[in-house]
Amino acid sequence: MQTAVSFQKGDRIAVIGGGLIGTSWAALFMAWGHDVALFEHEEASRNAIPPAVSGLIAQVAELAPGLPASGRLHLATSLEEAVEGAAWVQENVPESVPLKRAIYAGIEAVAPAGITIASSTSSLVWSELSADMTDPLRLITAHPFNPPHLMPLVELFGPDAARIQAAAAFYRSLGRHPVFLRREAVGHIANRLSSALWQEAVNMVAEGIADVAEIDAALVHGPGLRWSVVGAHMAYHLGGGAGGIGHYLAHLGPSQERRWRDLGQPRLDAATCDKLVAGIAAEAGDRDIAALEAERDAGLIAVQRALRGRRP
Amino acid sequence: MQTAVSFQKGDRIAVIGGGLIGTSWAALFMAWGHDVALFEHEEASRNAIPPAVSGLIAQVAELAPGLPASGRLHLATSLEEAVEGAAWVQENVPESVPLKRAIYAGIEAVAPAGITIASSTSSLVWSELSADMTDPLRLITAHPFNPPHLMPLVELFGPDAARIQAAAAFYRSLGRHPVFLRREAVGHIANRLSSALWQEAVNMVAEGIADVAEIDAALVHGPGLRWSVVGAHMAYHLGGGAGGIGHYLAHLGPSQERRWRDLGQPRLDAATCDKLVAGIAAEAGDRDIAALEAERDAGLIAVQRALRGRRP
């Protein structure tokens, strides 16, 4: 059986679905020298892809100067055309189990035997998605963090260990940082962490503890800054003094459990949603979404250039 | 009444308690040109402070080249000696209400009338701490994020709005980023966010979803990296497409509420603590705590230098 291990630089990659995530993946693959065949079924969306991709490739080049950026983009007019002869499939269609299952059936009908189909799904899990496949082991979940062309994280799950290792090697070859789930979970790792943190961020707004902009500033200048360098578990290890996390758990475990019970479980009711929308308006000021995204992207590039070579 | 508004560069600052936090504050104040009178009641700890402070000042200078770094350190042998004539008091004694109340009584007996007593408390709140004071309004909570000499965040609360504004001006003059609570809360803002995120990080270890090192890597290369640049609320605004957070809440609010209900509520029992300790050992490898701290500090300096001038 041909497996992902045989993937070579210059091989063609099929990108299925040309929304925000598919377009960003296409730019990343092309920046690293791969040709991309992209299938997007909506014609209006399809026409917007080439100019968008050019802008994103320029950002990747800013982040990682010296890349070949020689990949070519082919806009396929059918799923079959995109997938035929592809060495890798990255699927990014909307988050619907029936839709994704239909796409996988279409891919299995024409794609070279055994090549990996990697789903970018954020909210669905492998067992649901693979249920109707002829060869379910060829499916993996490979969830990027938005925007994929600038964020290194890719979260991997699939029951075929060799295929997961091959996927990790593939994403590493694109400057990504793959992480591994031991079992599938809704939201994988990163969105579970984000969701847990945002729950308390919303709670503090609902409870009137602090305004939206102050909570965001506390995160950016406090734990967010620290978590760009060390993880949450490791931070508690370093907060335990010479005894590390063992000492921390022995002495402060009970008070941490009490803190967990003190956290809120807000509802996103109309009153709370109004406070969130008003709070974001105050925080954004006169910056529209395009300006805020440009600030974010410039920041993401600056931080990663500063940390290059420092992180394991 | 003399208030914190009258604080001038070069005025002497009293630092009460010379543990990790007090020593780090002392270094920051001295790096920015202030003399410090530090009272630490344990003689053994006291002797370790001057060499520690020198190392920390060098880190501040690396982060912010060109600072005067001309402050002098005086190791006071009594609370009274530290506080007499001080223009600002930063209190960092252990997290005990009776101990802190006794310290405030001692300070009020000798400190210039009206000067601010800023408590670095992480887990106690203003109403508990100020209860026995002659002039409770002079107390504020001013919680830094560890390590204070490298982390910009200072979380402020107190019922005297003018004093809080003066405190914000003071901490800004030291290159800090103050944020404001509308009402007191255990853990202020940042530790509530950290605690909420860590709860799910522990849950994923307890449930066998992923290993400690993988969870830390997912955070550092995913949401942590993003949160060093944009806050959690703003990230959902940018995840909502052209409609921003209003569109996000209208369309994905219900699925977010379902995700919140899917998050875990782990116990720090012996089995989970063993997994955390073993996971950190695997993540740390042959790096001891000093090496890990040095990596963290170098990273914090690099990221902040990269982001200088970019963030509001």
Side-chain angles (χ1 to χ4, degrees):
Chain A
M1 191 178 79
Q2 183 187 8
T3 72
V5 180
S6 66
F7 189 89
Q8 301 291 323
K9 284 239 167 191
D11 280 354
R12 192 156 61 83
I13 300 176
V15 172
I16 310 304
L20 198 65
I21 301 299
T23 304
S24 177
W25 272 128
L28 182 76
F29 297 144
M30 292 163 66
W32 286 83
H34 299 292
D35 291 342
V36 167
L38 189 154
F39 174 60
E40 163 56 47
H41 76 109
E42 283 188 18
E43 194 177 342
S45 303
R46 202 155 59 224
N47 294 334
I49 291 169
V53 162
S54 299
L56 301 181
I57 289 176
Q59 288 187 314
V60 179
E62 199 184 333
L63 178 57
L67 292 185
S70 57
R72 289 163 301 174
L73 177 66
H74 172 65
L75 290 178
T77 53
S78 70
L79 181 63
E80 291 67 24
E81 184 190 340
V83 167
E84 204 171 0
W88 190 267
V89 180
Q90 189 80 38
E91 171 275 307
N92 324 273
V93 303
E95 295 284 80
S96 152
V97 172
L99 174 61
K100 287 188 189 268
R101 286 184 181 174
I103 293 283
Y104 304 153
I107 295 171
E108 285 200 297
V110 292
I115 68 155
T116 295
I117 303 169
S119 174
S120 301
T121 185
S122 64
S123 62
L124 304 173
V125 292
W126 181 88
S127 58
E128 289 177 303
L129 296 177
S130 64
D132 288 345
M133 292 178 70
T134 307
D135 177 11
L137 292 183
R138 72 194 300 188
L139 183 74
I140 67 170
T141 56
H143 175 243
F145 212 65
N146 189 45
H149 68 294
L150 295 182
M151 296 293 300
L153 180 62
V154 184
E155 303 180 281
L156 299 177
F157 179 76
D160 178 348
R163 190 179 296 269
I164 291 295
Q165 287 306 321
F170 169 59
Y171 291 113
R172 281 195 197 103
S173 80
L174 304 165
R176 303 301 91 189
H177 191 101
V179 304
F180 306 95
L181 280 84
R182 285 198 174 273
R183 62 181 185 80
E184 64 180 30
V186 173
H188 313 293
I189 299 169
N191 278 342
R192 295 182 73 90
L193 297 175
S194 298
S195 184
L197 181 135
W198 196 49
Q199 182 175 27
E200 183 55 26
V202 170
N203 178 57
M204 286 191 278
V205 173
E207 294 288 322
I209 293 171
D211 294 347
V212 165
E214 297 301 304
I215 294 167
D216 275 358
L219 180 55
V220 166
H221 296 280
L225 169 58
R226 201 161 67 182
W227 288 328
S228 73
V229 177
V230 287
H233 291 299
M234 185 56 80
Y236 283 97
H237 185 52
L238 298 181
I245 197 165
H247 183 265
Y248 179 86
L249 290 167
H251 289 76
L252 294 172
S255 73
Q256 183 66 246
E257 286 185 332
R258 278 196 301 279
R259 282 199 193 189
W260 288 345
R261 288 193 289 272
D262 190 46
L263 299 173
Q265 304 201 302
R267 296 300 308 268
L268 287 170
D269 54 23
T272 298
C273 288
D274 287 351
K275 285 181 193 170
L276 292 171
V277 170
I280 284 290
E283 182 177 350
D286 58 4
R287 298 172 295 173
D288 65 11
I289 286 186
L292 291 163
E293 278 179 346
E295 276 180 31
R296 176 197 64 188
D297 292 350
L300 291 176
I301 291 168
V303 170
Q304 290 182 81
R305 291 186 65 137
L307 290 176
R308 183 160 302 144
R310 284 184 187 279
R311 298 195 289 184
Chain B
M1 190 177 83
Q2 182 188 7
T3 74
V5 180
S6 65
F7 189 88
Q8 302 291 323
K9 284 238 166 190
D11 280 354
R12 194 155 62 84
I13 300 176
V15 172
I16 310 304
L20 198 65
I21 301 299
T23 303
S24 176
W25 271 127
L28 182 77
F29 297 144
M30 292 163 65
W32 286 83
H34 298 293
D35 291 341
V36 167
L38 189 155
F39 174 59
E40 165 54 49
H41 76 107
E42 283 188 18
E43 194 177 340
S45 303
R46 202 155 59 223
N47 294 335
I49 291 170
V53 161
S54 299
L56 301 181
I57 290 177
Q59 287 188 312
V60 180
E62 199 184 335
L63 178 57
L67 292 185
S70 57
R72 289 163 302 174
L73 177 66
H74 171 65
L75 290 178
T77 53
S78 71
L79 182 62
E80 292 68 24
E81 184 190 340
V83 168
E84 204 172 0
W88 189 268
V89 179
Q90 189 79 39
E91 171 275 307
N92 324 274
V93 303
E95 296 284 81
S96 151
V97 173
L99 173 62
K100 286 187 189 270
R101 285 184 180 173
I103 293 283
Y104 303 152
I107 296 171
E108 283 199 298
V110 292
I115 67 155
T116 296
I117 304 169
S119 175
S120 301
T121 185
S122 64
S123 61
L124 305 173
V125 292
W126 181 88
S127 57
E128 289 178 302
L129 296 177
S130 65
D132 288 346
M133 292 177 70
T134 307
D135 177 10
L137 291 185
R138 72 194 301 189
L139 183 75
I140 67 171
T141 55
H143 175 243
F145 212 65
N146 188 45
H149 69 293
L150 295 183
M151 294 294 300
L153 179 62
V154 184
E155 303 180 281
L156 298 176
F157 180 75
D160 179 348
R163 189 179 297 269
I164 290 295
Q165 287 306 321
F170 169 59
Y171 291 113
R172 282 194 196 103
S173 79
L174 303 166
R176 303 301 92 186
H177 192 99
V179 304
F180 306 95
L181 280 84
R182 286 199 174 273
R183 62 180 184 79
E184 65 180 29
V186 173
H188 313 294
I189 300 169
N191 278 341
R192 295 181 73 89
L193 297 175
S194 299
S195 184
L197 181 135
W198 196 49
Q199 182 176 27
E200 184 55 25
V202 169
N203 178 57
M204 287 191 278
V205 173
E207 295 288 323
I209 293 171
D211 293 346
V212 164
E214 296 302 303
I215 295 167
D216 275 358
L219 179 57
V220 166
H221 297 280
L225 170 58
R226 200 161 70 183
W227 288 328
S228 73
V229 176
V230 288
H233 292 300
M234 185 57 79
Y236 283 97
H237 185 52
L238 299 181
I245 195 165
H247 183 266
Y248 177 86
L249 290 167
H251 289 75
L252 294 172
S255 73
Q256 183 66 245
E257 286 183 332
R258 278 197 300 278
R259 281 200 194 187
W260 289 344
R261 288 193 289 273
D262 190 45
L263 299 173
Q265 304 201 301
R267 295 300 308 268
L268 288 170
D269 53 24
T272 298
C273 287
D274 286 351
K275 286 181 193 170
L276 293 170
V277 169
I280 284 290
E283 182 177 351
D286 58 4
R287 299 171 295 173
D288 64 12
I289 286 188
L292 291 162
E293 279 180 346
E295 274 181 31
R296 176 196 66 189
D297 292 350
L300 290 176
I301 290 169
V303 171
Q304 291 182 80
R305 291 185 66 138
L307 289 175
R308 183 161 301 145
R310 282 185 189 277
R311 298 195 287 185

